[in-house]
Amino acid sequence: MAALMGGLGATPARAGDHDHDGASSPYIVGTWKFAPNPTQSPSVDTEFRFINPTKLNVTLEYAFFELDGTFCGCDRDDFAPNKTTIYTMLAEELLPPPLPGGPPVFSCKGTSGALKSIVFLNDGERIILDGASQVGFQTHAFGDLVETDTSLQGKVMTEAAMQSVPLSDKTREEIRKIHEQCVTVNGPLSQ
């Protein structure tokens, strides 16, 4: 934890931190909706598409929160340049715990909440935001759902861009906290 605080918490705000144009950011937020059905496909699901618009190999972590703000899961992926990572909430629910005997990737009890996604370079456990960026889209689908590894279709579908969060000292601290929560599910970053 000291490495995290020294690495990210001590990073000073930069001149452009408050002037972010909103197109991409190392920190984006959205919402998830999921109404599982034990006998057939869910009646409501959300598909997330994360895009790495940079030439950097970064780490992608996306954390799930209940409506009351309670942390309830996180997934982590390597995120190659120009890669698009696609997941549905059903796919997240079906993933095995990343750590033996550890918590599942998705353990939310409600039917909707917040998703916070961060991308970063790392030096061991020290996360580095410089140059890291992402863009994200969320699609909520309702009724008669058909899901594959790369698509979600339903009777009614809505799509929206996830919202980028401008960097500041406070949001850098929030990114550090999200990463610490993700480590409880996925373990430390590999060296």
Side-chain angles (χ1 to χ4, degrees):
M1 185 142 112
L4 287 174
M5 294 183 116
L8 183 61
T11 304
R14 287 162 184 72
D17 280 358
H18 302 282
D19 302 324
H20 196 271
D21 67 4
S24 66
S25 171
Y27 180 23
I28 61 175
V29 296
T31 60
W32 62 267
K33 296 181 182 300
F34 185 58
N37 184 332
T39 60
Q40 57 191 28
S41 65
S43 58
V44 178
D45 202 349
T46 302
E47 174 188 273
F48 293 99
R49 291 179 181 259
F50 305 100
I51 303 164
N52 178 356
T54 73
K55 295 180 181 181
L56 301 172
N57 283 302
V58 296
T59 299
L60 166 68
E61 289 181 333
Y62 42 104
F64 305 101
F65 296 85
E66 298 281 7
L67 286 175
D68 68 1
T70 302
F71 173 76
C72 53
C74 180
D75 200 357
R76 177 188 294 154
D77 290 294
D78 293 328
F79 208 24
N82 302 310
K83 180 179 179 182
T84 299
T85 296
I86 304 168
Y87 277 105
T88 64
M89 296 308 299
L90 176 62
E92 293 294 330
E93 183 183 60
L94 296 175
L95 286 174
L99 300 173
V105 168
F106 178 75
S107 61
C108 303
K109 305 296 182 220
T111 57
S112 64
L115 178 127
K116 297 179 178 184
S117 176
I118 58 176
V119 293
F120 51 86
L121 297 159
N122 70 293
D123 179 12
E125 281 303 307
R126 182 173 171 260
I127 65 175
I128 303 161
L129 300 178
D130 297 339
S133 195
Q134 65 179 320
V135 176
F137 298 90
Q138 60 192 18
T139 302
H140 300 302
F142 307 88
D144 297 331
L145 301 186
V146 176
E147 299 193 36
T148 68
D149 288 345
T150 59
S151 74
L152 170 65
Q153 296 179 0
K155 254 186 187 174
V156 176
M157 297 177 63
T158 64
E159 183 173 285
M162 295 175 69
Q163 298 300 303
S164 65
V165 178
L167 292 179
S168 67
D169 289 341
K170 289 186 185 296
T171 57
R172 287 175 184 273
E173 178 64 15
E174 175 65 11
I175 289 168
R176 184 189 62 77
K177 288 178 183 176
I178 293 167
H179 174 65
E180 286 176 356
Q181 291 171 311
C182 288
V183 167
T184 68
V185 175
N186 296 286
L189 296 165
S190 57
Q191 301 284 334

